[in-house]
Amino acid sequence: MRGRRHGPAPALTAPALATLALLLGACGGEGADDPSDAGGSPSPVPASSSAPTPEPVPTPEPTPSTDPTPRERVLDVVALSAAGGTTDTILEPVALPADATAFVAQFEPSARGPLRAAIDAAQAPPGLELQAAVVAVGCDEPADVLLNGGGSLAWMAQAVPPKTTVQCLVPVTFVALAAVPF
């Protein structure tokens, strides 16, 4: 097996250095395109005034208001102590007063007022409809709520379980309020 040679690098000769300087001088810098400047002189070559340099045109940044497709989003997760209710991942419309009244009727009377107030306060952006679902019942608040669906499918809300668990005296009902395309 051959070993690597350690020691000083071989010295470059004067002709090799001159050739290297000519090659590097021809590679760039001002005047490199001028064939009469073969020596690589440092004098600048005046630019041609017949072709104006175009000004850069800034491109407008897209803004959320110009996006024609409204996106689904979770507006709020309401926590109600001892409210009852059953976990159901299918979102139900609650934008109309009759729909909101029917949705809150499944809960204990003490929880209906606060939930109805949260529904009335939630505002879906234009092109989206307010919908709700019970995403969890228990002591642990969901870490997040994921929305799936659209098109010909019903919208669904799924709770992401938290990383830690909590003990509580009464179960808590978590209701997700979401704005989804209809």
Side-chain angles (χ1 to χ4, degrees):
M1 178 171 187
R2 295 175 55 179
R4 290 189 172 192
R5 183 179 121 170
H6 297 285
L12 293 176
T13 62
L17 287 174
T19 304
L20 182 61
L22 283 175
L23 289 174
L24 291 176
C27 287
E30 293 184 33
D33 294 336
D34 187 1
S36 65
D37 190 18
S41 69
S43 63
V45 176
S48 170
S49 63
S50 63
T53 305
E55 294 283 327
V57 178
T59 56
E61 294 282 329
T63 59
S65 62
T66 61
D67 184 9
T69 308
R71 302 291 303 190
E72 69 277 357
R73 61 194 76 158
V74 175
L75 300 175
D76 194 8
V77 177
V78 182
L80 305 163
S81 295
T86 305
T87 302
D88 186 3
T89 59
I90 306 239
L91 287 165
E92 298 179 33
V94 292
L96 299 175
D99 293 336
T101 300
F103 182 79
V104 300
Q106 67 179 306
F107 302 103
E108 295 294 324
S110 62
R112 292 178 188 163
L115 180 56
R116 183 58 188 260
I119 290 172
D120 292 342
Q123 295 184 1
L128 300 177
E129 178 182 50
L130 182 62
Q131 296 192 7
V134 177
V135 293
V137 176
C139 297
D140 302 322
E141 181 176 357
D144 198 3
V145 175
L146 305 176
L147 299 175
N148 298 309
S152 62
L153 302 174
W155 280 95
M156 298 174 64
Q158 180 181 4
V160 176
K163 292 183 179 186
T164 60
T165 58
V166 178
Q167 292 184 358
C168 58
L169 298 175
V170 296
V172 179
T173 302
F174 297 95
V175 177
L177 299 177
V180 297
F182 54 96

